[in-house]
Amino acid sequence: MSKPEIHKDLADYSRELGECVRCGACQAQCPVYLETGKEGAVARGKIVLAAEMLAGRMDLDPEAIDDLSLCLLCGACVKNCPNQVPTDAIVSALRREISAQKGLSAIGKGVAALTGHPRLLGNLVRGAGLFSSLFFKKIPETSGLRLRFSPESLKDRILPPLPSRNLFARLPERLQGQPGKAAVAFFAGCSITYLYPEMGEAAVRLLHRLGYTVLVPRSQGCCGMPALTSGNADLVEQLVHSNVTAFSGEKIDAIITACASCGSTLSRFYSEIKGEAAGDIPEKAMDIHVFLKKEGWIDRLACLPKAEKRVRVCYHDPCHLKNHGITAEPRALLTALPTVDYVEMEGAGLCCGLGGTFAAGRPEISQGIAGRKVPGLAASGADLVASGCPGCIMQLSNIIHQAGLPMRAVHTLELALAAYGETLCEASSGCDSGHVPGSS
């Protein structure tokens, strides 16, 4: 791969740094500040730090590095900033500077070992070795793999049962759709590929049943979010190159994501890459809820009569959907499903606290943020809490377990595919066209 620098550094953000007016709009929206009350967690504090570093008036001392670790890269500050200062991108640039000066952290090294080597990750999961005691006995105490997925950090958590087959083993690389219908590609990401393949299968099967040709490139890899959070510029560059190559083989109209974090990375962070290195991925990446709404399928779905037997469902907003303005589409899908009684949950937009590697590096803060979800979940009376992010679903499952709540966390698309199979192919009354798109 060519080596011209694809990442922006602090100097590239000099204009944006000057646009922060220290108004504090970011403070009330920051999950980490709301939990810690620490000013260093707030976006405006990080902007001051970045500006001082750029001017040569501050070094990367331990206190500055600690403040920079207090960020989920959730984008809440950007969404609520009157001047749209890209603090998340600036924090990423600062973390790359830390890694360049100090080297990767132990967690960063663990991230690199796994997300940079998908075959290793796949083998560990397939052998049920990722979380096993035998796996931890085989690696040194100081290894980043231990620190990222150590038994100590996982001892009070519940984890998804490890699947016997990953997503690529469950699906062909190409599912041919109906003549004249669009061709789309599915970006899976690590969590869906290796931990929750049923979510990816639901997304792909649903799209195919609706008539679309669906491509699932085998050579795609991690979106790069874990590498971004740990400041690993070289790994991000490697992953960007691999993904651009994977999705450039055929003409496609959209790259569909079913993971909020992957979608945010492809559309938001890839758009910050210099030049043409990210190809057309930022323009083509689209969350599946947005795609289904745009294509008119959700509106047609809403025409169908409700099923006699329905399940009560509430919804959790992933930060990486909510902070990109994607809130109405998942709710429209759930409300339209004939097998669902949708109820709005109080605190639906509160962060779950996972934040990828944040939960490993700052577990106490992560758990404190997570605890804020419990009252809303409990009061909803729902049987299921749905979301559009596998990371959030993992965290919600743990929150539900810790609080002893009688409910379960699922992906919205699992409910959509189940409803499609039960009622959507037959039901048609109330629709102008007489049928749901993709049904016979």
Side-chain angles (χ1 to χ4, degrees):
M1 171 173 188
S2 60
K3 293 304 292 180
E5 181 57 59
I6 69 171
H7 303 286
K8 294 181 179 179
D9 57 25
L10 277 185
D12 293 308
Y13 292 105
S14 57
R15 178 180 61 81
E16 290 87 346
L17 290 173
E19 292 177 348
C20 175
V21 295
R22 319 290 192 266
C23 66
C26 52
Q27 187 181 72
Q29 307 299 327
C30 177
V32 181
Y33 175 79
L34 294 175
E35 179 61 25
T36 65
K38 187 173 180 180
E39 179 65 25
V42 182
R44 64 182 179 185
K46 292 180 172 65
I47 294 299
V48 170
L49 188 155
E52 291 295 295
M53 283 188 58
L54 187 59
R57 293 188 293 265
M58 179 180 288
D59 294 324
L60 282 170
D61 58 29
E63 184 177 357
I65 292 173
D66 185 69
D67 283 347
L68 289 171
S69 74
L70 295 173
C71 181
L72 293 155
L73 294 185
C74 68
C77 53
V78 182
K79 179 177 182 292
N80 292 279
C81 175
N83 291 336
Q84 296 292 286
V85 177
T87 305
D88 52 357
I90 291 168
V91 169
S92 293
L94 284 165
R95 288 179 175 175
R96 289 194 291 274
E97 183 64 25
I98 291 171
S99 295
Q101 291 189 23
K102 312 287 186 181
L104 286 173
S105 67
I107 289 176
K109 292 175 182 176
V111 165
L114 289 176
T115 62
H117 300 87
R119 183 173 295 179
L120 169 62
L121 180 57
N123 287 340
L124 287 173
V125 173
R126 185 167 58 250
L130 184 57
F131 306 118
S132 72
S133 58
L134 179 61
F135 169 65
F136 290 108
K137 288 177 182 177
K138 290 183 177 180
I139 58 175
E141 293 284 343
T142 55
S143 167
L145 292 175
R146 265 189 177 272
L147 295 173
R148 178 62 180 90
F149 297 110
S150 69
E152 292 76 19
S153 68
L154 298 171
K155 64 182 180 181
D156 295 324
R157 298 183 63 92
I158 63 167
L159 296 163
L162 295 174
S164 58
R165 295 187 300 158
N166 67 37
L167 180 67
F168 299 141
R170 294 178 177 218
L171 294 170
E173 194 164 12
R174 179 189 183 93
L175 288 85
Q176 186 62 43
Q178 297 172 2
K181 293 284 282 188
V184 300
F186 182 67
F187 187 92
C190 301
S191 293
I192 285 180
T193 298
Y194 299 109
L195 298 181
Y196 293 109
E198 68 278 5
M199 296 178 187
E201 190 168 13
V204 171
R205 297 290 185 197
L206 180 61
L207 289 167
H208 186 238
R209 289 187 187 183
L210 295 177
Y212 302 100
T213 294
V214 188
L215 308 177
V216 190
R218 296 289 188 268
S219 57
Q220 63 177 288
C222 174
C223 67
M225 175 60 81
L228 277 164
T229 61
S230 59
N232 191 335
D234 289 341
L235 179 56
V236 174
E237 186 172 353
Q238 171 191 326
L239 294 170
V240 168
H241 177 73
S242 295
N243 288 327
V244 168
T245 302
F247 288 92
S248 62
E250 294 195 48
K251 185 183 185 320
I252 53 174
D253 293 288
I255 299 172
I256 305 298
T257 62
C259 169
S261 295
C262 289
S264 175
T265 304
L266 299 185
S267 59
R268 168 84 177 102
F269 287 101
Y270 276 36
S271 68
E272 293 288 320
I273 289 171
K274 291 181 177 181
E276 303 298 321
D280 58 3
I281 286 181
E283 291 74 34
K284 286 188 174 180
M286 185 181 299
D287 178 73
I288 192 167
H289 303 93
V290 175
F291 180 80
L292 293 175
K293 180 68 175 176
K294 176 176 173 287
E295 293 291 295
W297 185 71
I298 291 179
D299 293 335
R300 290 180 182 272
L301 182 62
C303 298
L304 300 176
K306 286 289 186 179
E308 184 175 337
K309 293 182 179 180
R310 301 187 296 275
V311 62
R312 186 175 175 90
V313 180
C314 63
Y315 178 72
H316 161 76
D317 286 286
C319 291
H320 285 135
L321 290 186
K322 177 190 70 174
N323 293 327
H324 291 286
I326 303 172
T327 58
E329 294 88 349
R331 286 173 169 80
L333 173 61
L334 291 172
T335 301
L337 286 175
T339 52
V340 165
D341 273 334
Y342 176 71
V343 56
E344 184 67 23
M345 173 176 65
E346 184 178 353
L350 292 175
C351 178
C352 73
L354 183 68
T357 57
F358 182 86
R362 310 303 290 249
E364 292 182 3
I365 299 174
S366 173
Q367 290 170 16
I369 295 170
R372 296 171 181 264
K373 296 293 301 186
V374 173
L377 288 166
S380 72
D383 303 299
L384 301 172
V385 53
S387 190
C389 180
C392 290
I393 290 166
M394 181 185 292
Q395 184 81 333
L396 288 167
S397 297
N398 191 62
I399 293 168
I400 290 166
H401 172 73
Q402 297 290 346
L405 299 177
M407 62 195 314
R408 187 166 58 89
V410 298
H411 201 290
T412 52
L413 298 177
E414 295 176 87
L415 296 175
L417 184 64
Y420 193 104
E422 291 177 16
T423 63
L424 302 194
C425 288
E426 296 79 14
S428 62
S429 61
C431 293
D432 293 338
S433 67
H435 73 283
V436 176
S439 65
S440 57

